[in-house]
Amino acid sequence: MRTFKIAKHCAEYADDIAYAAGVAGGGALKGSHVVITGAGGLMGVTLTDTLLEAGCRVTAVVRNAGRLGGRLDDHLGDPAFDIVEQDATAPLPDGLRPDYIIPLASNTHPLAYSEHPVETMMTNIMGAKWALEKSRATGAMVIYPSSVEIYGNARGNDTFTEDYTGQLSLGTARSCYNESKRSCEAMCQSYAKEYGVRVRIARLSRIFGPTMLASDTKASSQFILKALAGEDIVMKSNGEQLYSYTYSADAAAAMLHIMLNGEDGEAYNVCSRKTNVRLRDFAEACAEICGRRVVFDIPSEAEAAGYSKATVAIMDGSKLEARGFAPRYEMRDAIGRTIKVLRESV
């Protein structure tokens, strides 16, 4: 796993975290203990920083602390922060008594799906199981991070409301991700029904931001990496795919909003109308910001096996907006902030 040591001193990043933490204004989460698995990933780092800023105590569960690349080192020595080193497929330690659990650990990019489909499934399923078992034992609330991938491909130009079911193919190992996420949602509802576990589901759209991993093979991440390297942006298709994206700070803010204002047993789309764009629009924004151009290339067989087959995947965020959440960032601003912070990172 290649990482960036995030330039958290950058004004844009500090502003992002202050905004997201501000969702818990008035100290609503202050003193709460939150366990985050996969804390070294894109959303894991953003949420850790946000929750600490909001006055929470955070236990970061990571598989290998030595491979974090300094992404959480700025919190070492903070009495409100600690690290537990273990695999997400193992039970959470007996001594943990959190108020909230966020099981983020997952393979979240195409090459990982393609090369490690079994591990992808088991990390998702076992990670959810042990979060729910800890909730059952302690009364903690689980904020389950699901995915737009559960919807599959739209039928025509439909948008994805929380009760929507699109078209999915089970004919390839690529289904390891979306089907395991679907199973995890069913597991959440089953634990809630049978054991009274408190769970709220955040269905994340395609997330991007400055806490991304350098090893991320998602198309949007590759566009950003190419732009940072001063190279042309390489498209692996004609780029007409229309997707919902969300900037990481907006996603973190939305998850805090769900923690505080959601309802138990409910799923909420985490997305923004401001960042619904075609894939080529995303690429062209990256290229324009960095003075480069967009070119086209055909993916390798291994890469293509991991890519989503969805051509339209637009989420409807009305349900969460009706509960008072308002995303902040426009697409160009979000991409520009991502690139600025990463330019100062190593």
Side-chain angles (χ1 to χ4, degrees), residues 326-341:
R328 175 185 186 185
Y329 298 92
E330 302 284 349
M331 178 59 87
R332 184 177 174 81
D333 179 34
I335 293 174
R337 295 169 84 91
T338 298
I339 290 172
K340 187 175 188 304
V341 176

Side-chain angles (χ1 to χ4, degrees), residues 4 42 207-210 212-213 216 218-234 245 247 282-283 285-287 289-290 331 334-340 342-343:
F4 293 105
L42 189 161
I207 308 298
F208 70 98
M212 63 178 280
L213 297 171
D216 191 337
K218 291 195 296 291
S220 57
S221 299
Q222 288 298 303
F223 300 159
I224 291 166
L225 289 171
K226 289 289 186 182
L228 281 169
E231 300 176 20
D232 290 336
I233 308 300
V234 179
Y245 295 90
Y247 185 53
F282 195 114
C286 292
I289 288 168
C290 295
M331 178 59 87
I335 293 174
R337 295 169 84 91
T338 298
I339 290 172
K340 187 175 188 304
L342 286 175
R343 277 178 172 155

Side-chain angles (χ1 to χ4, degrees), residues 307-325:
Y307 289 162
S308 170
K309 299 300 186 286
T311 55
V312 178
I314 296 296
M315 301 173 82
D316 184 333
S318 299
K319 184 175 178 179
L320 190 55
E321 290 172 2
R323 302 197 73 83
F325 179 68

